[in-house]
Each structure stands twice: as C-alpha cells, then as structure tokens.
Amino acid sequence: MKTFEKAILAAILALAGGCSKNNGVGGAASDAAQATIKANQEMAQSLKLDDQQDFEDAKHGFIARPEGKILAEDGSVLVDFDEYKFEQGPAPATVNPSLWRHAVLNAQIGLFKVTDGIYQLRGFDIANMTLIEGKSGWIVVDPLTCKETSAAAIAFARKNLGDKPVSAVIFTHSHADHFGGVLGILPAKEAAERHVPIVAPSGFLEEATSENVMVGTAMARRSMYQFGKNLERSPKGLVDTGLGKEVGYGNIGILEPTQLISKETEEATIDGVRFVFHNVPGAEAPAEMSFSIPDMKAYDGAENMVQTMHNLLPIRGAKVRDSLRWSEYMQQAIAQTGDADVFFAQHTWPIWGHARIVDFMTKQRDVYKYMHDQTVRLINQGYTPREIADMVKLPKSLASSFAIRGYYGDVRHNVKAIYQFYLGAYDGNPANLNPLPPQESAKRYLELMGGADKAVAAAQKAYDDGDYRWAAELLNHVVLGQPDHKGAKELLARTYDQMGYMAESATWRNSYLTAATELRNGPPTKGVNKATLFEVLAHTPTERFLEAMAASLNGPDAEGKDLKVNLVLSDTNESFVLWIENAVLHFKKAAPATDANATLTVTKGILLKMLTGTAGVKDTLMSDDMKVGGSKIDLVRFFSLIDKAPGTFAIVTK
C-alpha cells in the first residue's frame, strides 16, 4: 500500500509544479543608447518635474523611518529599507525622468501622521497600512500583503506611537496586498477571543479567496514581470512598481469578516469612530469600498483613487475592469467628501485642502471617462485595438497632472482593455481569426526575410536608429523561429533595456527589463511559492480547488477514460464524487458513490499541502489521516491525468 500511496502523492504533487532550466545568453544590462537619452531629455522638458507640491505632501507628517531588513521565515530578504537610497538627485539616463520623480516620491518610507488620529505606514510593502485611533486601540486599515511586513509595520508604529492593541480591522478590498498580512497584526485566536470586528465590503471573502485559484499559476508567473520581482534594485533595474516600491512575497493569510458593508452607503461606528462606507464594486476590484470619517474631515479612497493612472487590465492578467463605472464612482466621491480637509488612499501619499482634493478627484474621474469615450468613439469608426492605442492621447489639461500619469496603468494598454471589455480581443479582421501559432509564423517570416541573420541585421539598423518597437518585432520573430540564435537574443535584450529605460509606466519598465534579464539568463528556476498562500487557501471553498483541478485535466490523455473517484475530507465532513466523462472532469458534492473506482480519504489540510507542494512523508505516508480504498491503480491513473503547472514557463523565448 505504501508504494501506491507514494504514487498517489507524486501524482497529486504534480499539481504544485516544478522548475525550468536556464537557457539564456548571459551578460549584463546595457547602458542607455543615444536615442534613449534624447527621448528621456525630451520627456523631462515637457513636464514641470520641479513642482514641489507632491514632495511636500509625500513628506508631510513624517515621524520616523525604519532601518534594516524584513526577513522571511527562511532568512531571505523580503524588504530592505536601504535598497532604494540610490533614488536621489536628477534622473539617471536609464530611467524615464517622470517615472524617476514618481519613484523618489514613493521612496518616502516610514511612519507618517495624516491628521489627528490617523497615521500611515508607507514603504513596508507595496500598499499602505493606515492606523486610525479608536477608543480602545488601533483600527487597522489594510494590513499589507504578508504576515512578515505587517508585523514589522505594527511593531514600528507601536514603538513610536505607543503599545495599543488592534481594536478592529478594515479590509477596503479583495486584493491580497490589502488583506494578506492580517495575521501579522492579529492572530486568528486572538481575534476570536477578543471578538475583534473585521469589516469588509460585501463579497469580500469569496473574491479574496477565488481570484488566484483558477489561473493563479499563470498570474503569479506574469506578476514577476509586472512587479519586477527578480530585478536588481538599481537605476538599471527595479526603481518602483507605480503603486509603491515592491510586493512583500511572504506568508499570506486572511480573517473572515464579522461585519459586511452591503449597502451603497452605510454608516457604522467602530471602536468609537464614526465611519461612512461607500460600496464601489466592479471597478478596481470586484469587492471594494471607500469611506469617510466625518468627525476627522477625512476621506479614504481605497485603491480606486491613487497618485497614478490605474490599470484597467493588469499586465499580470485579470478580468477587464469597467472604466465607465470607475469614472462614475469618482463623480460620486466628489459629493461624498463633504467638507473633508484630507484625502488619503491605500497606496501613495495623501492630499490636504478641500479644493485640491476636489481637483484631484475631478481629474481621476475624467481620465477614465476620456479613455473610455475616445476608445468607444474610435471603435465605432472601425479602428482596431493597436490603432486606437496609438491614436488616443490625453488632453493637456489631464496630461499635465502627475496624479493621473501612467506610472502603474498606461493609456495605450488601457484603451486596449476598453476595446476588449466591449468587443473582446479579436479585432474583426478574419486574418486574425485563426492565425498560425507564434513559433510557426516566426519561422515562415524568417524564411521570407532571407533567414535569421538578415532579420537581425535589419533589427540592428532599427536599434541604431532608435526604432525600438520595430527592432523588437523583428527580433521576436528570430527568437521564436530560431531559439538558438544568441545574437538575436542579446540584441533583443538590449532593445528591451532601452524600451524599459524610456518607459514612464513602472509596470512596462519592469516587464521590459525582466524580459531582457530572462533572455540573458533564462526563465526563473522557482515560481512564486504557493505555500505562502496556505492560510488563504484554507478559507477557500473546496469547490474552487476542484474547478481548478478540472481545468488542469489533460483532455487528449483523458479521452476514452472512464474513471470515478470519491474524495472525502475527514476534517470538514465534506464528500465529493469526481468522474471523467467525454474527457471532461466533473464533480458534485455527494455521499461516496458505491460504483467509484477508488476512494481517497484525507484531511483538507493535507490536501492543501499536497496542492501547494509542501506535503512531506510525515504528512502523508506516515499519517493516519490519509486512507485509500478501492483500486489504488485507478486512483493513480486518475490523478496522473491532471497536468502540472510549473509556474516557471518561458515567456519571451517560447
């Protein structure tokens, strides 16, 4: 039996993924080319980069700056508070000067007083942790991404503000960087024993636990590009993410809300503080809310309003966001502010003064509405996404505002998202209904161009002329069509260097530079560690995992197979019947089927450890909590049909 259990474990562990080999060309990042330097100089001359208002706001209320590092459980560095100290003075040639300005602003790290009774911790993670002084302790708004960064942040706050307990937690929305660190400020046992209020928008738990299950592996892999996870922190590497310095890739947890905000506008008193919550779902996040604190004349815009244009479709991938609804929420927010004297958000820095707040919100409203309306106008004139991306330019009245420039989102990417929102990715041209796969298409283009060397020579001329978009398009064909052409890889890496150095959007810069790094060194050998999600996955309904398992079934291999398996989770008293029919994996919640080929009885905890790749011999083979009934051979056959998702797949070389 032990041999079969080993086979079962191996089959299930395949779901957790594996590693890939490096196959790059080596070498260091290139210097800024003359065309890049010229483009960045022109950008600097087009904007009032010396405007000091944002710098005054970003430093306003400064109390103290942390020192040292935040470490993960294995001793690796999650956050180094000194690694962005190079962000001083004029922009280097390798960074877009507008992005450099934004990066310097986000590098104002530490504890800040927003107004009487409200404080923020910035730079401990990509998001801000906001502390509101309640009657008996701290009301914590959005406890960062992971346990390690949130624990460091609350400890630093207590050191400087006094040792008060957490009296309530508010989750503004369902993205992990705003709830994942909750166990670092409030252990689950303590939350239950003290009956600490956990406040969140309606639908929060479902959205928070489901977003990354179905296509989480691909999202996590692509997030490495968006956030520049593996880039060096330097003028040639990661300088910012647009929303903050970087993501804390530590242990992510969650607490189930005790109080849901379900009405469009809802008032609640939490630890003696009067809040007016405003539900704003379906824009920046599926479940989200902003709020005002009338007695403090303060308004929190959550993540719907921050000091940058946001993404309508993140580079990492997600469901397309509704720009029209987003702009409508901004219009509502202008009225909701009342007589607020301070605006703050869960990223970037606050704004003081009611007139300035209204101006900020007005421009936030109009940038999403302008992109929406102009994209729709051009759609109805028959233009395609790529054409519209080159046609839509913000009017000067909007483009001159730093608060809505594309440091995180980007006009070109956002208008494509709007097109996709209404019409899908297909542009209407039948040639794009059934195009050849990229590698096959690339081979034929190379043959037409007279071979890889001629294509590289043409790309070199485009590079020398500063025509990087064309150089990248040519070289992409060579790298896909003739993967062993090292000259093409190196020139494409240098091309991506230059495109990254010129990018105003941090996410575009990070993507270009990550692509360059992987062309030189190959894809990463490790993906994002799924074990860090264990606490969140424990709150995820089992059905979500079974849906993801069904979506991982190898259809061609499953053709003609007729297998039925009972899955019994002994600790949650759940029982599911899983069966393959017409090469499709189905499941239903039901008592074990008497005609099943096999029955696997296991605790949900062990199942999650298997799925996250953290199960060991003690957890499985030596555990009484894992039992197999029926045909062990059929059980192994069943799980062997589930494809693994390594999370380290190649992106720029496949």
Side-chain angles (χ1 to χ4, degrees):
M1 180 173 176
K2 298 300 182 184
T3 301
F4 285 113
E5 286 181 334
K6 288 179 182 178
I8 294 165
L9 175 61
I12 298 176
L13 286 180
L15 292 168
C19 299
S20 60
K21 297 179 180 180
N22 285 343
N23 59 348
V25 296
S30 58
D31 294 329
Q34 282 303 121
T36 301
I37 294 172
K38 180 181 178 182
N40 283 344
Q41 288 174 341
E42 291 174 352
M43 167 68 80
Q45 293 169 3
S46 69
L47 297 170
K48 295 181 179 179
L49 297 177
D50 58 350
D51 187 330
Q52 292 300 302
Q53 183 64 65
D54 285 335
F55 291 95
E56 293 172 9
D57 289 343
K59 296 176 181 179
H60 184 109
F62 173 75
I63 296 174
R65 180 186 174 94
E67 296 180 350
K69 302 176 177 65
I70 301 176
L71 304 179
E73 288 181 348
D74 62 2
S76 61
V77 177
L78 291 177
V79 177
D80 183 343
F81 292 115
D82 291 335
E83 64 185 351
Y84 293 102
K85 284 190 173 180
F86 67 87
E87 293 181 349
Q88 305 178 53
T94 54
V95 184
N96 178 291
S98 180
L99 176 59
W100 180 258
R101 177 185 185 275
H102 189 74
V104 172
L105 287 162
N106 272 336
Q108 308 309 308
I109 294 170
L111 174 65
F112 298 82
K113 180 179 179 179
V114 177
T115 191
D116 289 343
I118 303 177
Y119 300 85
Q120 281 194 324
L121 293 133
R122 304 182 207 132
F124 285 77
D125 210 314
I126 191 173
N128 300 333
M129 181 191 292
T130 300
L131 303 180
I132 299 169
E133 196 166 9
K135 185 177 180 181
S136 63
W138 294 118
I139 302 167
V140 179
V141 183
D142 290 359
L144 308 182
T145 309
C146 65
K147 181 178 180 180
E148 295 86 347
T149 57
S150 67
I154 196 69
F156 189 71
R158 285 170 172 156
K159 176 183 176 182
N160 288 278
L161 300 176
D163 190 10
K164 296 181 181 181
V166 172
S167 59
V169 176
I170 296 174
F171 298 134
T172 64
H173 62 290
S174 54
H175 291 154
D177 54 321
H178 296 264
F179 68 78
V182 67
L183 300 182
I185 63 160
L186 185 66
K189 183 178 179 181
E190 180 185 345
E193 289 176 348
R194 293 202 291 113
H195 303 287
V196 177
I198 312 294
V199 186
S202 180
F204 167 82
L205 191 62
E206 178 182 358
E207 297 295 345
T209 58
S210 67
E211 183 187 40
N212 294 317
V213 174
M214 184 64 76
V215 291
T217 300
M219 276 190 178
R221 173 70 175 106
R222 287 172 54 157
S223 79
M224 295 182 184
Y225 275 61
Q226 177 171 326
F227 296 120
K229 180 179 184 292
N230 297 329
L231 294 176
E232 66 175 9
R233 280 55 172 163
S234 77
K236 288 186 177 180
L238 180 65
V239 298
D240 206 67
T241 67
L243 290 177
K245 300 321 293 179
E246 58 185 283
V247 178
Y249 283 89
N251 286 297
I252 299 174
I254 199 169
L255 288 176
E256 188 169 344
T258 63
Q259 182 176 347
L260 291 175
I261 304 301
S262 57
K263 298 177 182 177
E264 185 175 336
T265 296
E266 188 169 334
E267 187 170 320
T269 298
I270 302 169
D271 193 23
V273 178
R274 182 166 64 99
F275 290 81
V276 180
F277 293 100
H278 307 286
N279 255 318
V280 287
E284 194 276 328
E288 187 157 358
M289 64 185 185
S290 57
F291 62 82
S292 57
I293 309 176
D295 298 333
M296 296 182 181
K297 294 188 176 183
Y299 188 95
D300 185 336
E303 196 175 326
N304 264 5
M305 292 175 282
V306 292
Q307 301 272 7
T308 175
M309 180 190 299
H310 215 291
N311 271 313
L312 297 178
L313 179 58
I315 287 174
R316 67 177 172 87
K319 295 177 182 178
V320 179
R321 296 161 182 174
D322 188 341
S323 57
L324 185 57
R325 178 183 290 189
W326 205 323
S327 69
E328 290 169 350
Y329 286 147
M330 300 302 97
Q331 178 61 41
Q332 294 170 15
I334 293 171
Q336 292 163 359
T337 57
D339 61 350
D341 285 333
V342 61
F343 166 89
F344 59 97
Q346 297 311 119
H347 290 279
T348 63
W349 55 94
I351 298 170
W352 288 266
H354 187 72
R356 290 184 59 218
I357 294 170
V358 171
D359 179 70
F360 167 79
M361 290 183 174
T362 299
K363 288 186 169 65
Q364 290 273 323
R365 175 198 67 188
D366 290 347
V367 74
Y368 297 109
K369 187 72 160 58
Y370 186 87
M371 288 188 294
H372 172 274
D373 292 352
Q374 296 310 304
T375 301
V376 170
R377 177 178 67 86
L378 294 170
I379 285 174
N380 286 325
Q381 292 182 15
Y383 291 102
T384 63
R386 291 172 65 176
E387 291 172 322
I388 298 172
D390 268 4
M391 294 171 73
V392 175
K393 310 292 182 186
L394 294 182
K396 290 183 179 179
S397 58
L398 293 176
S400 61
S401 173
F402 287 111
I404 52 174
R405 291 193 69 85
Y407 303 117
Y408 188 58
D410 183 273
V411 173
R412 292 159 294 182
H413 196 65
N414 280 344
V415 300
K416 292 177 182 177
I418 294 166
Y419 188 104
Q420 183 173 326
F421 182 85
Y422 286 109
L423 295 181
Y426 172 54
D427 64 3
N429 187 332
N432 296 321
L433 270 177
N434 189 30
L436 292 168
Q439 293 86 348
E440 181 62 28
S441 176
K443 291 175 183 177
R444 298 192 187 191
Y445 272 110
L446 289 182
E447 183 179 356
L448 187 65
M449 288 186 281
D453 290 340
K454 285 191 175 182
V456 172
Q460 180 67 63
K461 182 180 185 306
Y463 178 92
D464 293 339
D465 291 342
D467 192 358
Y468 302 131
R469 292 170 72 185
W470 179 234
E473 189 167 335
L474 286 171
L475 292 165
N476 187 54
H477 283 308
V478 182
V479 170
L480 294 181
Q482 194 171 322
D484 59 348
H485 198 295
K486 291 188 177 181
K489 280 187 176 180
E490 175 51 34
L491 183 54
L492 182 54
R494 286 193 284 128
T495 300
Y496 283 148
D497 284 341
Q498 304 308 315
M499 297 174 83
Y501 298 161
M502 291 168 58
E504 185 178 20
S505 167
T507 58
W508 284 38
R509 174 187 172 90
N510 295 340
S511 296
Y512 285 133
L513 298 187
T514 299
T517 299
E518 293 189 4
L519 282 164
R520 293 184 173 107
N521 304 315
T525 57
K526 292 183 179 180
V528 174
N529 186 1
K530 293 181 181 179
T532 62
L533 294 168
F534 187 85
E535 294 292 341
V536 174
L537 298 179
H539 287 80
T540 303
T542 307
E543 288 86 346
R544 301 293 85 76
F545 297 109
L546 298 181
E547 289 166 355
M549 184 183 294
S552 299
L553 181 77
N554 188 315
D557 288 351
E559 186 172 1
K561 303 293 193 301
D562 182 15
L563 294 168
K564 183 180 291 185
V565 168
N566 295 320
L567 174 63
V568 178
L569 301 181
S570 56
D571 55 342
T572 61
N573 295 317
E574 293 178 286
S575 176
F576 296 88
V577 179
L578 291 69
W579 74 97
I580 296 174
E581 186 176 358
N582 296 318
V584 176
L585 175 56
H586 302 275
F587 68 89
K588 63 181 178 179
K589 197 168 189 177
T594 57
D595 61 343
N597 298 74
T599 298
L600 175 64
T601 301
V602 68
T603 63
K604 185 174 182 179
I606 290 180
L607 180 65
L608 290 179
K609 287 185 177 181
M610 290 177 173
L611 295 176
T612 56
T614 59
V617 173
K618 184 177 180 181
D619 293 315
T620 53
L621 306 187
M622 298 177 64
S623 173
D624 294 332
D625 292 327
M626 179 177 173
K627 299 177 182 178
V628 178
S631 172
K632 303 174 186 68
I633 293 177
D634 284 346
L635 188 62
V636 171
R637 287 173 59 208
F638 178 87
F639 279 109
S640 295
L641 293 172
I642 309 298
D643 271 355
K644 64 180 179 180
T648 54
F649 53 79
I651 290 179
V652 290
T653 57
K654 68 175 183 179

